[in-house]
């Protein structure tokens, strides 16, 4: 049996590679780009997660954190916890900050953090001036704001800002805080001392107040968790967090984003694979004389194939190593951006597992496309050397290489699904990709089948085009496949990009309210409505009662014991939610299952968001236990509603029956849409209602679009890379076709057929393939982009015909230009070299 | 003299879409070691097909090819490749050197695949004898037709094969080069005691061989 590795064969491979690398530049280029992109994504994901894990205590702010939600910690409990170490207590709540008490004051909806002298237990606060945090503790009623507020309000140190009409002296601004709190990540915030906070005399039902206690252990080596858990059992409304859970949301975001980008990059790699197959088959066709000579000299087909495999896998090893090393070097460039955005600095590191994944991805993609290509060597006969007739070889499928291709595809899917947080999406993605491939391949075969039946064409260029397509050695299926995949990917990314852009640029919907108002006390509700009506008698005001509730049991079982954090609706269980009640179902929340509340039934009835019910496996009539004001009440799910949180109206995951809720102490949330928005003065409103916080919808949307814009930029960068690869692949397919027809063109030239007929024939040939793929590309790209926008990014998808048509036109034009440019030198071949068999 | 090659009633047919083409029809032939045989005949008579069968590049439809007392018509593709590698040298009309190998590499390749040491040195010495000392590191495209064919002959004889098959080796050359090439083939086949089967249209070349066989319509006449 022949040895798998033979140094002599390897030597031939290297010799050939060093002398022929220019002919396979498409392979080098597309393989490098796609492996580089994948390497960047993997390196960044790893570095970010490593940094988050390494700084878990800093991100949490302690060795553990006790969250007592909207109540102060119990003194007894506090004393017991105190023995573990130093406790730093903070209070967070949402409120309004203004720069004056005048009616035209500029306002900010902020998360206010009150800190004690022990804060921060871990890490550092980056502030200006450096001592701003200590000034906070020594200066009465002082405040530090985040940099954006400081710059927007053009504040100077010692200026005054107001919270609930109480003046605070600005002692500086904050660049970053070590504990990236849940709300502080993207929003505006300010920090005051605990003493200053007490001066605010906060007196609400506490729906938006959060008390947190962080502990730094005296002795890090002690096993404290069990003891803390036991102590906390007696306080059901308290929850304990540990460093390993400090940045779950951020990790989830990174997971989702890197999964999406990895799949886009693997698509680019698979399209590059078609380019690799095209280029390699062209390379083999160019070397068919050499291969035939080698066979005549006594080389076996398997030895020659082995030499080609050595060439391609040597190339892959060098390229993947180079791509990975360059990707590591690029991490510091991204780092500058991350420090600014997240306050996290990541380090470049060579991780062997990541390199193996990059190499394996390349290896599997190259194997999938090279197996039928290199097997084509089988078709080259040394007898051609006697006859001087060389037929171009085509992809060669045997049972053995079909089995190997299937094995490589399965391995590739498993490689990406294995460490994916959502393996189902990954598997679906690959499935769709291969369905598109099969559809396009089937389409090409169908076209060839029907064109063969046509024999009445008189127009010479059309006859030439049809002949080229139906030729037994035609590369039409490959052209349709590469062009089709390229167009589908470009169109999908265009639609995804357009929908992102639309979300970024979209104006506030007509029906959306202008303002949200939170923390409206029961006692001031009527006065609040009256004030707004006085301000604008045409104002549309909607008020809803709210109360905090925690979902503690589903069918009498603690959901946290069996529902995992990667569940899409885990957020419902993570902490207390605001719930409301209503006599009638909300207009924009259609009931999908069950019936609205039975007014005569006074026991707890719950109407649940249908998507949440599906994710948490909750059915109609299931029992849910809600903890409201520390008391656990069991209720029954009586209806499911379709809730769309994107419509900017008041939406609740859970609504309960008014007959049950009637006597629960509550506050209100309200929305208002004004006829004349400029007439509403936030400053004046806050003078009157200092405890009510206002959120201007346009400001809120600004923050959301800022985040979407960042995602959009990343998608566009990855898309551009995929576009370049797509065009390179299309171009390589065109070159392959043109090179194959050079001998034929020579004969035509000798026979007197002019170049314009040949040019027209190649345009017709292109149009037949391009027009046939448009329909399939459009259908699949609509499906893919819809799934990405609606299912992954939870945004609104819409079809954009003008841009999509423009993209099709653009691809068509660019491709036809590429065809004409590439065909140019092959359309008028020089007779002499060909006659001499050079 | 000992028999090297024996063709026993061999047939070669090609199937086309609608018909069966009989290319070789019941050829019997015996060639001894060190014997020179000229194969002559008109275009399309089956000369080249016969060479391809002997080289193991085509499979006989029926009949036997005995090479050194072994029936090679039953050999697999790999066994035939191995036989060519060790015992058969082929010279083509269109030279057919590997384009991206130098003259030296084209010749030494045969020794390397047979795992013979000092392949480059031995190849350089032979090319020197062929008057190509200054052309060792030239690629085929940098050589004239005569030089290319000399390299091709060097490649075919470097391993002292039992059998050399030459398909109109001077067909693409001028008379001077043609003469030189044929002289080289005769000289080295004799020196190595190799049998030579030479396909030619040139009667003067054919006459220099030990035996002349003429093929017409796939049969030896």
């Amino acid at each position: 049996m022949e040895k798998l590795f033979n140094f002599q064969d390897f030597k031939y491979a290297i010799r050939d590679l060093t002398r022929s690398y220019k002919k396979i530049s498409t392979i080098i280029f597309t393989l490098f780009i796609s492996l580089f992109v994948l390497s960047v994504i993997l390196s960044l994901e790893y570095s970010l997660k490593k940094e988050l894990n390494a700084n878990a205590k800093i991100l949490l702010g302690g060795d553990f954190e006790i969250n007592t939600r909207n109540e102060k910690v119990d003194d007894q409990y506090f004393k017991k916890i105190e023995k573990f170490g130093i406790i730093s207590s903070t209070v967070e709540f949402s409120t309004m900050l203004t720069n004056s008490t005048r009616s035209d004051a500029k306002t900010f909806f902020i998360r206010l953090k009150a800190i004690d002298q022990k804060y921060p237990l871990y890490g550092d606060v980056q502030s200006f001036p450096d001592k701003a945090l200590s000034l906070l503790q020594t200066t009465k009623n002082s405040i530090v704001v985040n940099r954006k507020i400081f710059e927007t309000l053009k504040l100077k140190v010692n200026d005054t800002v107001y919270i609930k009409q109480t003046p605070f002296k600005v002692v500086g601004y904050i660049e970053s805080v070590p504990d990236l709190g849940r709300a502080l990540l993207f929003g505006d915030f300010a920090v005051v001392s605990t003493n200053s906070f007490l001066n605010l005399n906060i007196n609400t039902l506490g729906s938006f107040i959060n008390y947190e206690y962080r502990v730094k252990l005296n002795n890090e080596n002690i096993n404290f968790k069990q003891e803390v858990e036991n102590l906390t059992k007696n306080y059901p409304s308290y929850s304990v967090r540990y460093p390993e859970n400090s940045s779950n949301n951020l990790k989830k975001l990174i997971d989702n984003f890197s999964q999406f980008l990895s799949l886009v990059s693997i698509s680019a790699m698979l399209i590059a694979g078609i380019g690799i197959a095209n280029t390699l088959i062209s390379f083999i066709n160019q070397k068919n004389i050499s291969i035939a000579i080698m066979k005549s000299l006594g080389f076996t087909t398997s030895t020659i194939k082995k030499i080609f495999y050595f060439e391609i896998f040597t190339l892959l090893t060098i390229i993947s190593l180079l791509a990975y090393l360059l990707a590591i070097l690029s991490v510091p460039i991204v780092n500058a951006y991350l420090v600014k955005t997240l306050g996290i600095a990541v380090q470049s590191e060579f991780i062997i597992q990541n390199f193996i994944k990059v190499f394996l991805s390349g290896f599997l993609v190259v194997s999938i496309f090279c197996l039928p290509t290199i097997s084509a060597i089988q078709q080259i006969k040394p007898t051609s050397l006697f006859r001087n007739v060389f037929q171009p070889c085509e992809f060669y499928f045997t049972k053995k290489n079909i089995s190997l291709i299937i094995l490589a595809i399965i391995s590739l899917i498993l490689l990406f699904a294995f460490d994916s947080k959502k393996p189902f999406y990954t598997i679906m993605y690959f499935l769709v990709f291969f369905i598109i491939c099969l559809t396009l391949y089937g389409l090409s075969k169908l076209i060839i089948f029907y064109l063969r039946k046509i024999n009445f064409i008189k127009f010479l260029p059309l006859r030439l085009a049809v002949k080229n397509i139906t030729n037994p050695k035609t590369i039409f299926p490959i052209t349709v496949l590469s062009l089709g995949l390229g167009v589908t990917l470009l169109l999908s990314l265009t639609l995804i990009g357009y929908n992102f852009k639309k979300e970024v640029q979209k104006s506030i919907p007509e029906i959306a309210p202008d303002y949200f108002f939170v923390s409206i006390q029961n006692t001031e509700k009527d006065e609040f409505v009256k004030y707004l009506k006085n301000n604008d008698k045409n104002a549309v005001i909607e008020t809803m009662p709210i109360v905090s509730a925690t979902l503690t049991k589903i069918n009498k079982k603690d959901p946290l014991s069996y529902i995992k954090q990667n569940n899409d609706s885990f957020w419902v269980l993570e902490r207390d939610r605001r719930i409301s009640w209503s006599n009638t179902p909300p207009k924009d929340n259609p009931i999908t299952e069950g019936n609205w509340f039975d007014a005569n039934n006074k026991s707890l009835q719950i109407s649940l968001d249908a998507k949440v019910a599906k994710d948490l496996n909750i059915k109609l009539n299931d029992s849910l236990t809600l903890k409201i004001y520390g008391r656990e009440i069991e209720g029954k799910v009586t209806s499911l509603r379709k809730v769309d949180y994107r419509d900017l109206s008041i939406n609740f995951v859970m609504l309960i029956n008014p007959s049950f809720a009637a006597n629960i102490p509550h506050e209100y949330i309200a929305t208002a849409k004004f006829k004349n928005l400029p007439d509403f003065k936030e400053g004046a409103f806050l003078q009157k209602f200092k405890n009510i916080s206002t959120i201007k919808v346009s400001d809120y949307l600004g923050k959301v679009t800022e985040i979407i814009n960042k995602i959009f930029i990343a998608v566009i960068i990855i898309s551009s890379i995929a576009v370049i690869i797509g065009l390179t692949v299309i171009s390589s397919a065109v070159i392959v076709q043109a090179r194959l027809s050079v001998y034929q063109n020579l004969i035509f030239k000798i026979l007197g057929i002019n170049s314009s007929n040949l040019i027209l024939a190649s345009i017709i040939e292109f149009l037949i393939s391009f027009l046939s793929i448009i329909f399939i590309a459009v259908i699949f790209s609509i499906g893919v982009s819809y799934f990405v926008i609606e299912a992954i990014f939870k945004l609104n998808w819409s079809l954009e015909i003008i841009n999509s048509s423009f993209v099709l036109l653009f691809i068509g034009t660019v491709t036809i230009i590429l065809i004409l440019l590439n065909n140019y030198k092959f359309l008028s071949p020089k007779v002499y070299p060909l006659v001499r068999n050079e | 003299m000992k028999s090297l090659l024996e063709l026993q009633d061999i047939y070669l047919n090609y199937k086309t879409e609608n018909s069966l083409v009989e290319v070789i029809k019941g050829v019997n032939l015996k060639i001894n070691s060190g014997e020179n045989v000229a194969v002559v005949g008109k275009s399309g008579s089956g000369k080249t097909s016969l060479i391809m069968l002997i080289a193991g590049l085509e499979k006989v439809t029926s009949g036997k090819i005995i090479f050194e007392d072994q029936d090679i018509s039953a050999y697999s593709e790999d066994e035939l490749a191995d036989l060519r590698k060790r015992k058969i040298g082929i010279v083509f009309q269109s030279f057919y050197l590997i384009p991206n190998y130098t003259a030296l590499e084209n010749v030494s390749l045969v020794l390397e695949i047979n795992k013979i040491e000092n392949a480059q040195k031995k190849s350089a010495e032979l090319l020197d004898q062929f008057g190509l000392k200054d052309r060792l590191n030239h690629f085929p495209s940098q050589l004239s037709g005569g030089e290319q064919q000399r390299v091709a002959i060097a490649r075919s004889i470097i391993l002292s094969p039992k059998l050399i098959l030459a398909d109109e080796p001077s067909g693409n050359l001028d008379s001077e080069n043609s003469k030189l090439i044929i002289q080289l083939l005769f000289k080295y086949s004799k020196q190595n005691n190799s049998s030579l089967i030479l396909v030619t249209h040139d009667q003067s070349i054919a006459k220099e061989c030990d035996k002349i066989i003429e093929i017409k319509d796939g049969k030896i006449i």
Side-chain angles (χ1 to χ4, degrees):
Chain A
M1 199 175 150
E2 217 173 338
K3 276 196 294 182
L4 197 63
F5 183 84
N6 180 320
F7 185 73
Q8 190 66 39
D9 297 341
F10 182 68
K11 209 176 88 182
Y12 296 141
I14 298 299
R15 182 193 284 170
D16 197 41
L17 197 58
T18 50
R19 290 178 187 173
S20 314
Y21 65 92
K22 282 182 187 164
K23 290 178 183 166
I24 48 173
S25 52
T26 305
I27 296 181
I28 297 171
F29 176 74
T30 52
L31 204 54
F32 174 77
I33 295 280
S34 48
L35 288 175
F36 174 73
V37 174
L38 185 65
S39 301
V40 170
I41 293 163
L42 290 180
S43 300
L44 266 178
E45 184 190 3
Y46 174 84
S47 301
L48 269 170
K49 282 189 182 167
K50 191 186 170 196
E51 198 60 27
L52 291 177
N53 288 335
N55 293 309
K57 281 183 188 177
I58 294 174
L59 290 166
L60 183 72
D63 289 301
F64 66 97
E65 177 206 84
I66 296 150
N67 190 327
T68 58
R69 308 203 196 286
N70 46 18
E71 57 188 273
K72 273 188 180 174
V73 72
D74 175 76
D75 285 345
Q76 290 297 318
Y77 180 82
F78 189 87
K79 275 178 192 159
K80 284 173 190 164
I81 292 294
E82 214 171 14
K83 71 173 184 180
F84 289 103
I86 308 161
I87 302 178
S88 164
S89 58
T90 56
V91 190
E92 271 186 34
F93 80 109
S94 301
T95 187
M96 301 302 295
L97 179 144
T98 64
N99 62 346
S100 81
T101 51
R102 295 199 312 270
S103 61
D104 60 349
K106 215 163 163 64
T107 65
F108 271 90
F109 178 69
I110 60 161
R111 196 75 182 155
L112 186 70
K113 189 180 181 97
I115 58 168
D116 62 9
Q117 286 180 318
K118 290 161 197 156
Y119 178 88
L121 293 175
Y122 284 105
D124 296 305
V125 172
Q126 305 288 326
S127 64
F128 172 84
D130 291 342
K131 55 179 183 177
L133 215 63
S134 51
L135 283 171
L136 210 59
Q137 300 297 345
T138 53
T139 313
K140 200 182 168 192
N141 274 9
S142 58
I143 192 168
V144 282
V145 293
N146 67 338
R147 190 172 179 165
K148 190 183 162 200
I149 297 178
F150 195 83
E151 285 173 353
T152 311
L153 294 179
K154 294 185 177 130
L155 294 171
K156 293 188 286 294
V157 172
N158 293 333
D159 275 359
T160 304
V161 291
Y162 298 85
I163 292 170
K164 296 183 184 293
Q165 303 298 307
T166 309
F168 282 86
K169 186 192 222 179
V170 178
V171 291
Y173 67 80
I174 286 181
E175 287 277 10
S176 68
V177 288
D179 49 334
L180 282 169
R182 296 150 181 153
L184 298 189
L185 189 55
F186 297 114
D188 291 313
F189 63 95
V191 180
V192 296
S193 67
T194 317
N195 288 335
S196 303
F197 172 73
L198 292 174
N199 293 339
L200 283 170
N201 290 321
I202 301 293
N203 182 25
T204 71
L205 287 168
S207 297
F208 286 85
I209 281 193
N210 226 44
Y211 289 88
E212 288 164 359
Y213 301 85
R214 295 182 180 86
V215 184
K216 185 178 186 178
L217 295 170
N218 290 332
N219 179 1
E220 283 189 35
N221 298 322
I222 60 160
N223 190 2
F224 64 95
K225 280 189 185 173
Q226 194 54 51
E227 213 175 326
V228 173
E229 295 288 340
N230 288 341
L231 278 172
T232 313
K233 264 185 192 166
N234 302 323
Y235 299 87
S237 59
Y238 294 6
S239 63
V240 184
R241 276 208 311 161
Y242 300 102
E244 53 268 30
N245 306 322
S246 60
S247 47
N248 281 336
N249 289 339
L250 203 53
K251 279 180 193 159
K252 206 171 167 181
L253 185 77
I254 293 166
D255 281 338
N256 283 342
F257 205 46
S258 64
Q259 183 177 16
F260 170 71
L261 295 183
S262 298
L263 289 176
V264 174
S265 76
I266 197 72
S267 305
M269 204 184 288
L270 285 166
I271 292 176
I274 295 168
I276 290 169
N278 267 337
T279 313
L280 201 56
I281 200 98
S282 163
F283 185 55
I284 288 170
N285 276 321
Q286 285 176 64
K287 291 183 92 66
N288 57 8
I289 290 178
S290 301
I291 293 166
I293 295 168
M294 288 169 93
K295 284 189 177 182
S296 76
L297 292 177
F299 278 84
T300 60
T301 303
S302 58
T303 304
I304 300 170
K305 284 191 330 197
K306 214 186 327 174
I307 293 171
F308 274 86
Y309 280 121
F310 279 146
E311 279 189 50
I312 200 81
F313 289 121
T314 304
L315 204 61
L316 172 71
T317 310
I318 296 167
I319 291 173
S320 50
L321 192 63
L322 204 67
Y324 188 71
L325 289 174
L326 273 173
I328 291 177
L329 292 178
S330 70
V331 169
I333 299 167
V334 185
N335 194 24
Y337 170 80
L338 287 172
V339 170
K340 214 172 161 188
T341 314
L342 300 177
I344 300 172
V346 293
Q347 304 291 321
S348 307
E349 207 176 329
F350 186 98
I351 302 300
I352 193 75
Q353 292 94 320
N354 280 344
F355 172 68
I356 289 171
K357 187 170 179 183
V358 169
F359 177 78
L360 267 182
S361 309
F363 177 81
L364 292 168
V365 170
V366 166
S367 300
I368 291 166
F369 289 96
C370 285
L371 277 164
T373 316
I374 292 179
S375 295
I377 286 170
Q378 192 85 32
Q379 301 162 344
I380 298 173
K381 302 283 179 209
T383 50
S384 314
L385 298 171
F386 292 99
R387 307 283 186 208
N388 284 330
V389 175
F390 291 93
Q391 283 287 330
C393 44
E394 56 189 8
F395 298 108
Y396 190 73
F397 293 95
T398 60
K399 278 182 188 165
K400 188 182 165 192
N401 65 32
I402 289 173
S403 313
L404 287 171
I405 289 168
I406 292 171
L407 188 70
I409 291 171
I410 293 170
S411 308
L412 186 70
I413 295 171
L414 288 179
L415 180 69
F416 278 81
F418 182 67
D419 62 351
S420 162
K421 294 283 181 269
K422 289 177 181 170
F424 175 74
Y425 282 171
T426 308
I427 292 167
M428 280 298 293
Y429 182 90
F430 277 102
L431 202 65
V432 169
F433 188 90
F434 291 115
I435 287 173
I436 297 174
C437 287
L438 284 176
T439 313
L440 289 166
Y441 189 75
L443 173 82
S444 69
K445 289 286 178 189
L446 202 69
I447 291 171
I448 291 171
F449 177 78
Y450 281 109
L451 284 181
R452 276 195 182 138
K453 288 181 181 292
I454 299 174
N455 51 12
F456 50 81
I457 303 166
K458 293 270 187 307
F459 183 50
L460 183 64
L462 182 58
R463 265 178 71 184
L464 290 175
V466 169
K467 197 71 199 159
N468 279 343
I469 291 171
T470 55
N471 181 330
K473 301 273 181 181
T474 179
I475 59 157
F476 183 71
I478 294 305
T479 313
V480 168
L481 196 59
S482 48
L483 199 60
L485 276 175
V487 173
T488 308
L489 185 76
L490 296 189
L491 214 52
S492 302
L493 291 172
T494 305
L495 285 170
I496 292 169
Y498 160 75
N499 278 287
F500 265 115
K501 209 169 177 187
K502 183 193 71 187
E503 287 290 319
V504 173
Q505 289 177 338
K506 82 173 175 191
S507 54
I508 302 164
E510 274 298 302
I511 53 155
D514 297 320
Y515 278 93
F516 274 87
F517 297 92
V518 292
S519 301
I520 306 161
Q521 300 308 299
N522 207 351
T523 49
E524 59 187 349
K525 183 195 151 202
D526 293 340
E527 203 184 340
F528 160 80
V529 174
K530 198 174 153 194
Y531 177 89
L532 293 189
K533 280 283 180 193
N534 283 342
N535 194 67
D536 180 348
K537 66 177 178 2
N538 293 315
V540 179
I541 300 154
E542 188 187 356
T543 58
M544 291 283 278
I546 55 166
V547 68
S548 289
T550 313
L551 177 56
T552 57
K553 282 176 194 140
I554 299 171
N555 291 325
K556 301 187 177 171
K557 199 172 171 191
D558 178 5
L560 295 176
S561 66
Y562 67 94
I563 290 170
K564 293 191 177 143
Q565 287 191 341
N566 61 2
N567 189 300
D568 272 354
S569 295
F570 187 78
W571 57 274
V572 177
L573 311 170
E574 213 167 21
R575 53 196 322 215
D576 53 333
R577 315 289 342 155
R578 275 67 182 170
I579 62 167
S580 186
W581 48 92
S582 166
N583 286 320
T584 52
K587 276 183 222 156
D588 48 357
N589 279 195
I591 292 174
T592 56
E593 266 185 80
N595 298 307
W596 196 240
F597 305 126
D598 175 3
N600 300 321
N601 186 348
K602 297 238 162 104
S603 61
L604 176 62
Q605 299 167 57
I606 301 159
S607 174
L608 190 62
D609 173 351
K611 160 89 172 63
V612 170
K614 191 183 166 206
D615 290 344
L616 303 182
N617 197 23
I618 300 171
K619 310 260 177 331
L620 272 187
N621 297 320
D622 277 1
S623 101
L624 300 185
T625 306
L626 300 182
K627 193 198 291 177
I628 303 170
Y629 291 120
R631 201 182 129 214
E632 292 202 335
I633 308 140
E634 196 180 327
K636 201 168 78 170
V637 178
T638 55
S639 66
L640 302 178
R641 285 168 296 121
K642 189 181 176 190
V643 186
D644 186 354
Y645 297 95
R646 294 169 292 188
D647 65 4
L648 295 174
S649 60
I650 305 176
N651 284 301
F652 294 92
V653 64
M654 284 181 278
L655 288 173
I656 59 174
N657 50 322
S659 51
F660 172 83
N663 298 319
I664 300 176
H666 58 270
E667 56 183 37
Y668 283 88
I669 185 168
T671 60
K673 185 165 179 65
F674 297 105
K675 184 87 178 166
N676 194 3
L677 184 61
D679 283 354
F680 179 72
K681 302 289 178 213
E682 288 175 38
F685 175 83
L686 286 173
Q687 275 179 359
K688 175 87 177 157
F689 300 99
K690 61 180 187 175
N691 288 326
I692 297 177
S693 295
T694 63
I695 304 165
K696 197 172 181 181
V697 170
S698 56
D699 289 350
Y700 163 78
L701 272 184
K703 284 190 178 69
V704 173
T705 52
E706 201 178 307
I707 297 163
I708 293 175
N709 210 10
K710 282 171 187 165
I711 298 172
F712 175 62
I713 290 167
V715 170
I716 285 296
I717 291 171
I718 298 287
S719 308
S720 335
I721 291 163
V723 167
I724 292 167
I725 290 176
L727 285 175
T728 311
V729 168
I730 291 169
S731 182
S732 76
V734 169
I735 293 173
V736 168
Q737 198 162 31
R739 202 169 269 153
L740 285 175
S741 54
V742 65
Y743 188 76
Q744 179 186 291
N745 290 344
L746 170 73
I747 306 293
F748 287 152
K749 185 177 178 178
I750 292 165
L751 293 176
I753 297 173
N754 61 29
S755 298
S756 60
N757 273 331
L758 296 178
I759 292 170
L760 202 55
S762 60
I763 292 173
I764 292 171
E765 200 180 327
F766 164 74
L767 284 177
I768 291 173
S769 48
F770 189 66
L771 293 174
S772 60
I773 57 144
I774 285 180
F775 179 70
I776 288 179
V778 167
I779 296 288
F780 277 110
S781 51
I782 284 176
V784 169
S785 60
Y786 181 86
F787 179 76
V788 171
I789 290 293
E790 292 273 344
I792 297 180
F793 288 106
K794 315 277 181 206
L795 301 170
N796 287 315
W797 180 90
S798 66
L799 177 63
E800 215 295 320
I801 292 169
I802 295 171
N803 275 340
S804 304
S805 311
F806 176 75
V807 165
L808 283 174
L809 198 68
F810 171 76
I811 298 169
T813 313
V814 169
T815 314
I816 199 86
I817 290 170
L818 282 173
I819 286 177
L820 293 177
L821 284 177
N822 288 319
N823 271 337
Y824 184 73
K825 63 179 175 181
F826 299 113
L827 280 173
S828 302
K830 287 191 173 64
V831 178
Y832 176 76
L834 276 164
V835 170
R836 291 262 308 180
N837 284 319
E838 286 178 5
Chain B
M1 269 197 283
K2 200 184 169 210
S3 165
L4 174 77
L5 177 76
E6 197 177 342
L7 310 185
Q8 296 177 353
D9 198 24
I10 58 162
Y11 282 82
L12 174 66
N13 301 337
Y14 290 121
K15 275 182 189 163
T16 63
E17 246 176 68
N18 307 314
S19 61
L20 187 79
V21 181
E22 290 181 306
V23 183
I24 301 289
K25 303 167 190 168
V27 166
N28 289 287
L29 178 68
K30 195 170 172 182
I31 293 167
N32 294 323
S33 294
E35 193 177 15
N36 296 335
V37 179
V39 180
V40 295
K42 287 181 183 171
S43 289
S45 59
K47 304 184 297 290
T48 302
S49 297
L50 189 68
I51 294 280
M52 293 195 297
L53 287 171
I54 295 169
L57 298 171
E58 280 287 1
K59 286 262 185 188
V60 291
T61 309
S62 68
K64 282 182 181 176
I65 300 175
I66 311 293
F67 188 94
E68 289 189 318
D69 302 325
Q70 298 286 318
D71 180 7
I72 63 166
S73 49
Y75 274 21
S76 69
E77 288 283 339
D78 286 357
E79 285 170 327
L80 287 168
D82 188 56
L83 178 75
R84 277 198 302 277
K85 184 169 79 177
R86 292 182 294 112
K87 296 184 175 177
I88 300 173
I90 307 174
V91 183
F92 302 96
Q93 182 179 355
S94 300
F95 328 135
Y96 287 127
L97 301 176
I98 297 177
N100 61 346
Y101 277 35
T102 61
L104 183 66
E105 286 165 350
N106 263 287
V107 178
S108 65
L109 181 67
V110 178
L111 298 178
E112 287 167 6
I113 59 172
N114 280 285
K115 298 187 172 56
I116 290 169
E117 288 182 3
N118 299 320
Q120 299 249 327
K121 188 169 170 259
K122 285 175 183 165
S123 306
E125 282 167 4
L126 183 64
L127 286 168
D128 186 13
Q129 290 173 40
F130 276 45
L132 293 166
K133 192 181 178 183
D134 300 330
R135 293 280 192 259
L136 297 183
N137 294 315
H138 284 59
F139 287 97
S141 58
Q142 297 164 321
L143 301 172
S144 70
E147 287 169 332
Q148 284 188 52
Q149 194 62 308
R150 272 184 274 162
V151 176
I153 291 172
R155 182 178 68 184
S156 71
I157 60 132
I158 182 91
L159 202 65
S160 306
K162 296 282 180 191
L163 178 65
I164 299 168
L165 301 167
D167 185 23
E168 299 191 41
S170 57
N172 280 2
L173 300 173
D174 57 65
S175 58
E176 196 183 325
N177 269 307
S178 172
K179 205 171 167 187
L180 178 66
I181 291 301
I182 298 299
Q183 278 173 357
L184 282 172
L185 269 174
F186 281 132
K187 181 184 169 190
Y188 282 91
S189 59
K190 192 165 189 178
Q191 191 177 302
N192 298 332
N193 196 33
S194 306
S195 301
L196 171 68
I197 300 178
L198 183 67
V199 173
T200 182
H201 281 111
D202 189 332
Q203 284 297 327
S204 63
I205 295 172
K207 278 176 189 165
E208 287 187 43
C209 293
D210 301 330
K211 196 195 281 181
I212 300 174
I213 56 167
E214 189 177 351
I215 298 196
K216 191 179 177 189
D217 296 332
K219 290 177 186 166
I220 294 177
I221 53 169

